[in-house]
Amino acid sequence: MLPLGKLRSEVLNEILKDIPSSDSKVIIGPREGFDSAVIEYDEENYLIVATDPVLGVPKEHFGFFTYHFASSDVAVFGAKQRWLIVNLLLPHGTTKGELKETMKELNEECRKYGTSIVGGHTGVYTTIKDITATTTAMGIVPKEELKLPLAKPGDEIVITKGVGIEFAVGTAWFKEKELRKRLSAEDVRTLKEMYSLETVVGDAKIARPFVRGMHDATEGGLTALHEIADNSNVGFEIYMESIPISPPVKKVLDIYEVDPLTISSTGTLIAITPPENVEALIKTLHVAGIPAFRIGRFTEKKERLLIRDKDVEEFPHFKGDAYAELY
């Protein structure tokens, strides 16, 4: 039986190797560590295409997540997200008012970023227990501005906002009664409001001129660094004391005893940055109100190391998804 959450590497790669691909226009197709496809659009541009499910998120802000999950994957490839196709599946009992609220929020995000919804499907089904969506986002990027999640030895690793936000926010929404026994009402309220951090659309737009490549630390959190290292034939070293965790998020991670390095962290941008650009990147993000932190670097040696004070250990791999168990 397959475990909850995203497919583990060995299963995913077994499936991917059997997918046929003979179209010369497909520059990057299905590949672990690449959350978007890259397709030749014309002589000067690539078309970036990403698709994502939307489930297990607060229904009060379902429109926000319907926009940002797939759009974030387009943004990290250096593209501006221009078009969306949205499949919105509703459980029996959904009201017209609830549907309108979701679409109002989705439309607001589209207007904010200049994105057009160009198609999709909406329906009500008895087999759907909670509101669910799949969104396909598309954007155009000039070929010379394409950003791939690939690193070179010496590149610095910069992340935005901190880790564990997605898990902590989900806990505040789905386990609020349980959490209020351990946290203050103010902490729970703060965590619930942090849902708006679960996007890297803005982060990636600002970071684009400074970076070699980018990745959104979704399921598996910072273990995405293994995918980058595998695809780049490099190693990395991470300094634990440099990894930011906001106080209310840390309280939740401690309560549920989850590893901040491996937990879902949608909204945390991993920026692969040439060393000469690090200071400018961090400063520019900070000016825009987005905290950013240097947490390590990629190395020519193939080891993947986690440094805690004076102790050095192997960086953990993705083994399970505690977030999937929340809902």
Side-chain angles (χ1 to χ4, degrees):
M1 183 173 66
L2 295 173
L4 290 173
K6 73 174 185 178
L7 291 180
R8 307 306 185 257
S9 294
E10 60 275 11
V11 178
L12 177 61
N13 287 319
E14 185 177 343
I15 292 172
L16 293 181
K17 69 180 178 61
D18 293 327
I19 295 178
S21 178
S22 57
D23 191 330
S24 62
K25 294 287 187 179
V26 179
I27 309 303
I28 301 291
R31 181 176 173 185
E32 186 179 25
F34 289 73
D35 292 333
S36 292
V38 179
I39 301 170
E40 188 168 8
Y41 184 75
D42 57 28
E43 290 185 359
E44 298 179 351
N45 300 286
Y46 290 125
L47 175 67
I48 308 301
V49 183
T51 191
D52 259 321
V54 186
L55 70 167
V57 300
K59 65 179 181 180
E60 291 86 348
H61 295 291
F62 199 86
F64 173 89
F65 293 103
T66 299
Y67 181 84
H68 282 279
F69 279 179
S71 294
S72 289
D73 287 340
V74 167
V76 297
F77 277 67
K80 178 185 180 298
Q81 54 283 5
R82 292 182 58 179
W83 307 292
L84 291 184
I85 296 175
V86 180
N87 290 319
L88 194 57
L89 309 179
L90 308 171
H92 185 249
T94 302
T95 67
K96 185 194 293 186
E98 290 170 333
L99 173 59
K100 284 188 172 182
E101 282 300 310
T102 293
M103 290 307 302
K104 177 183 177 182
E105 189 175 44
L106 174 56
N107 290 335
E108 286 174 352
E109 296 304 311
C110 286
R111 280 190 288 268
K112 181 178 179 181
Y113 293 101
T115 306
S116 298
I117 297 175
V118 297
H121 173 82
T122 308
V124 180
Y125 304 95
T126 57
T127 53
I128 300 296
K129 303 307 177 186
D130 295 294
I131 183 171
T132 303
T134 57
T135 307
T136 299
M138 294 168 278
I140 302 292
V141 60
K143 289 183 177 179
E144 68 274 11
E145 296 178 17
L146 176 68
K147 303 296 180 180
L148 296 178
L150 298 172
K152 292 184 178 181
D155 284 344
E156 303 280 357
I157 302 167
V158 174
I159 66 170
T160 62
K161 300 168 188 163
V163 298
I165 294 172
E166 182 179 15
F167 179 83
V169 170
T171 304
W173 282 95
F174 295 113
K175 301 287 187 180
E176 180 176 358
K177 186 179 294 186
E178 180 179 297
L179 209 56
R180 283 185 179 273
K181 298 176 183 178
R182 307 285 297 274
L183 298 183
S184 69
E186 182 179 355
D187 278 340
V188 174
R189 186 164 53 249
T190 297
L191 287 166
K192 293 181 77 171
E193 292 172 354
M194 288 171 68
Y195 79 89
S196 62
L197 299 180
E198 292 184 51
T199 173
V200 298
V201 170
D203 311 38
K205 180 180 179 181
I206 293 168
R208 187 168 52 202
F210 304 98
V211 303
R212 190 181 311 281
M214 297 178 281
H215 202 294
D216 187 2
T218 54
E219 281 189 75
L222 292 183
T223 62
L225 291 168
H226 286 295
E227 296 174 352
I228 297 171
D230 287 341
N231 290 321
S232 306
N233 195 30
V234 296
F236 59 82
E237 56 185 32
I238 300 298
Y239 305 96
M240 188 67 197
E241 68 273 12
S242 299
I243 297 175
I245 309 174
S246 71
V249 170
K250 187 175 189 310
K251 291 177 184 179
V252 175
L253 300 186
D254 288 344
I255 289 170
Y256 287 91
E257 298 181 340
V258 297
D259 187 342
L261 301 175
T262 65
I263 196 63
S264 294
S265 292
T266 295
T268 300
L269 180 71
I270 300 174
I272 305 162
T273 314
E276 63 271 20
N277 293 345
V278 169
E279 289 187 10
L281 170 62
I282 292 176
K283 181 179 179 180
T284 305
L285 285 165
H286 276 244
V287 168
I290 302 173
F293 311 85
R294 176 191 174 276
I295 65 164
R297 65 188 181 97
F298 290 99
T299 62
E300 189 169 0
K301 294 181 178 180
K302 303 305 185 291
E303 297 97 337
R304 288 92 183 272
L305 305 177
L306 176 63
I307 301 169
R308 301 178 188 262
D309 296 324
K310 297 181 180 180
D311 295 328
V312 179
E313 59 192 77
E314 183 180 357
F315 197 86
H317 287 263
F318 178 69
K319 294 180 180 179
D321 183 18
Y323 184 77
E325 300 176 6
L326 283 180
Y327 54 90

